[in-house]
Amino acid sequence: MVDLNGQYRKIRWQVNREIKKVIKSSSFINGPSVKEFQNNLQNFLGIRHVIPCANGTDALQVALMSLELNKGDEVITTNFSFASTIEVILLLGLKPVVVDIDPKTFNINPNLIKDKISEKTKAIIPVHLFGQTCKMEEILEIANKHNLFVIEDNAQALGSKYKFSSSEKQMAGTIGDISTTSFFPSKNLGCYGDGGAIMTNSDNLAYKIRGLVNHGMYERYYHDEVGVNSRLDSIQAAILNVKLKCLNKYNNSRQESAKLYNDKFDKIELLETPFVESDLDTHVYHQYTLKVKNGMRDKLAEHLSKNNIPFGIYYPLGFHEQKAYKQEFMSDNDFPVTNQVKNEVISLPMHTELSKRQITYITDTISSFFE
Ligand SMILES: *Cc1c(COP(=O)(O)O)cnc(C)c1O
């Protein structure tokens, strides 16, 4: 699905040099590379504050903690995402209010948010799934009307842009009150271990978040609140400084590969290629996800396995069916779209090192299946 070694070979010299620098300095925690990365990512996104942390799940948890919500307060999010999004809501004693998705983009359907708002609703967490931003204009409108916080889960769409109806574009992760991301190795910007970050334009929230990731400490050894220990280590930051310079190139290469896939798969009736909400730079293809019609998905998956082509099913279930969360849900009838697409989705290899030859092998293998 990814080729991290192939990618490393092209930046080996810089990466090794930066790692050695950290080892030589012995500043393994909060060393200069961390501060440098924070500034680099702030500039890349055009945002006032980036607070690095240990991973994307911590980022979401701390973002929610910074809003000072009360137990039982409601947080609206999507039904179709990686576990972290709902997990942190439950861990903090908040109530997840989960909404079905748009069948084309797999993102939260803003039209369904309105019906779920109550006196207790405090925040919305849209997830920019597979590399494409949610309908942020609609989401912001609802949030403003009801005075809700918006936390963008931007673990899959770093570097993508959202296009407003005015045609103005804004980077994903700079639109809500707070955004979070992950540098898990396979993400669009990945390190060589775990890493994450929290972003905001608010000075107050940034101050609060900096304390929360550091044991609730605002002055050394004075703990003003119950925080967590969540740091990006200096070696990971050093690697990210090298890779951030490549992020636009990496995302362009994903878009090129997606185009080559689309050219072939658009001709196959039983395949639905990824729907792109606006123009190309709005989708950075963290995943290239097809929908397979007529109940053929599992047979196609078998065919891919036989031909040694890796694939992923993201995600096999909505949150409403997961053992850990299902008691939170009143009924399954709220999620007809999730229930349909979970049986149709299949994600193909998508990374920065995909060659034309590999893509041709994959598209030929899939075309022959449908002939
Ligand atoms: C990867 C991911 C996360 C969690 O990131 P970790 O760094 O693995 O904790 C959260 N949300 C989404 C949508 C993700 O894809």
Side-chain angles (χ1 to χ4, degrees), residues 55-57 60 81-82 84-85 127 153 155-156 182 184 187 195:
N55 58 66
T57 309
L60 277 168
S81 174
F82 183 64
S84 311
T85 323
V127 180
D153 181 346
Q156 301 192 3
S182 162
F184 185 82
K187 302 279 154 121

Side-chain angles (χ1 to χ4, degrees), residues 19-33:
I19 291 177
K20 273 190 200 146
K21 241 199 249 172
V22 175
I23 296 172
K24 240 181 160 173
S25 77
S26 297
S27 306
F28 296 114
I29 302 294
N30 285 331
S33 61

Side-chain angles (χ1 to χ4, degrees), residues 2 11 47 79 89 106 152 236 281 337 349:
V2 294
I11 51 172
I47 198 158
N79 189 34
I89 299 172
F106 311 109
E152 300 173 71
Q236 299 305 337
D281 56 357
V337 180

Side-chain angles (χ1 to χ4, degrees), residues 82-328:
F82 183 64
S84 311
T85 323
I86 188 168
E87 199 172 44
V88 296
I89 299 172
L90 289 164
L91 279 173
L92 295 174
L94 303 168
K95 185 172 164 29
V97 174
V98 172
V99 172
D100 207 3
I101 54 172
D102 178 319
K104 288 195 292 206
T105 61
F106 311 109
N107 280 331
I108 190 167
N109 182 342
N111 297 326
L112 301 175
I113 294 178
K114 295 173 195 131
D115 302 337
K116 298 280 187 174
I117 289 172
S118 79
E119 299 272 277
K120 293 199 141 185
T121 312
K122 295 290 154 58
I124 309 176
I125 308 183
V127 180
H128 305 319
L129 205 71
F130 301 153
Q132 179 161 231
T133 39
C134 297
K135 291 199 161 127
M136 291 307 293
E137 192 161 333
E138 285 89 332
I139 292 169
L140 287 185
E141 200 181 304
I142 298 165
N144 289 339
K145 189 164 154 207
H146 298 275
N147 209 8
L148 310 176
F149 290 106
V150 175
I151 301 175
E152 300 173 71
D153 181 346
N154 196 26
Q156 301 192 3
L158 200 66
S160 80
K161 298 194 178 94
Y162 175 74
K163 195 169 169 187
F164 286 86
S165 54
S166 63
S167 283
E168 187 213 333
K169 284 187 178 176
Q170 206 174 322
M171 300 290 283
T174 67
I175 305 166
D177 298 285
I178 308 181
S179 78
T180 64
T181 199
S182 162
F183 307 119
F184 185 82
S186 63
K187 302 279 154 121
N188 291 45
L189 178 63
C191 56
Y192 296 168
D194 273 311
I198 307 157
M199 275 70 57
T200 182
N201 275 315
S202 154
D203 297 346
N204 290 337
L205 285 173
Y207 175 79
K208 176 115 190 162
I209 289 165
R210 276 193 193 287
L212 284 172
V213 296
N214 189 26
H215 304 284
M217 191 159 70
Y218 296 86
E219 194 185 328
R220 211 170 166 89
Y221 303 121
Y222 292 84
H223 302 272
D224 294 357
E225 38 206 324
V226 180
V228 295
N229 170 25
S230 189
R231 295 184 284 243
L232 178 70
D233 70 63
S234 306
I235 288 183
Q236 299 305 337
I239 294 160
L240 288 166
N241 280 325
V242 175
K243 289 185 69 176
L244 179 59
K245 292 198 192 101
C246 309
L247 182 58
N248 282 333
K249 193 177 79 189
Y250 286 164
N251 283 340
N252 288 341
S253 130
R254 288 171 180 271
Q255 289 162 342
E256 289 298 315
S257 297
K259 253 195 266 172
L260 295 174
Y261 276 147
N262 286 343
D263 283 347
K264 294 287 186 222
F265 298 145
D266 277 335
K267 297 183 189 112
I268 300 173
E269 216 177 309
L270 292 181
L271 291 182
E272 204 177 304
T273 53
F275 176 82
V276 179
E277 193 65 65
S278 183
D279 31 61
L280 199 62
D281 56 357
T282 60
H283 201 322
V284 292
Y285 294 97
H286 174 60
Q287 298 295 345
Y288 181 88
T289 304
L290 291 167
K291 283 198 282 184
V292 190
K293 297 295 175 185
N294 285 8
M296 298 287 275
R297 197 265 314 268
D298 293 341
K299 287 202 186 78
L300 174 63
E302 227 174 86
H303 182 71
L304 292 176
S305 294
K306 265 191 230 143
N307 289 282
N308 298 316
I309 296 173
F311 63 87
I313 306 294
Y314 311 119
Y315 296 93
L317 298 178
F319 289 151
H320 69 294
E321 290 184 303
Q322 295 283 4
K323 190 170 162 195
Y325 323 127
K326 67 180 175 201
Q327 69 282 357
E328 302 294 322

Side-chain angles (χ1 to χ4, degrees), residues 2-107:
V2 294
D3 179 8
L4 295 174
N5 192 44
Q7 190 188 62
Y8 167 66
R9 266 183 262 129
K10 294 181 183 159
I11 51 172
R12 175 161 45 192
W13 187 81
Q14 294 99 306
V15 167
N16 291 0
R17 183 190 58 193
E18 294 305 313
I19 291 177
K20 273 190 200 146
K21 241 199 249 172
V22 175
I23 296 172
K24 240 181 160 173
S25 77
S26 297
S27 306
F28 296 114
I29 302 294
N30 285 331
S33 61
V34 178
K35 186 89 201 254
E36 200 184 311
F37 174 63
Q38 172 192 309
N39 292 336
N40 290 343
L41 188 57
Q42 279 167 198
N43 291 337
F44 177 86
L45 290 170
I47 198 158
R48 283 178 65 79
H49 304 281
V50 168
I51 300 103
C53 66
N55 58 66
T57 309
D58 276 7
L60 277 168
Q61 182 180 326
V62 171
L64 268 179
M65 286 166 78
S66 76
L67 302 179
E68 300 183 8
L69 306 182
N70 296 311
K71 296 258 176 283
D73 280 349
E74 295 177 4
V75 179
I76 294 179
T77 193
T78 173
N79 189 34
F80 200 59
S81 174
F82 183 64
S84 311
T85 323
I86 188 168
E87 199 172 44
V88 296
I89 299 172
L90 289 164
L91 279 173
L92 295 174
L94 303 168
K95 185 172 164 29
V97 174
V98 172
V99 172
D100 207 3
I101 54 172
D102 178 319
K104 288 195 292 206
T105 61
F106 311 109
N107 280 331

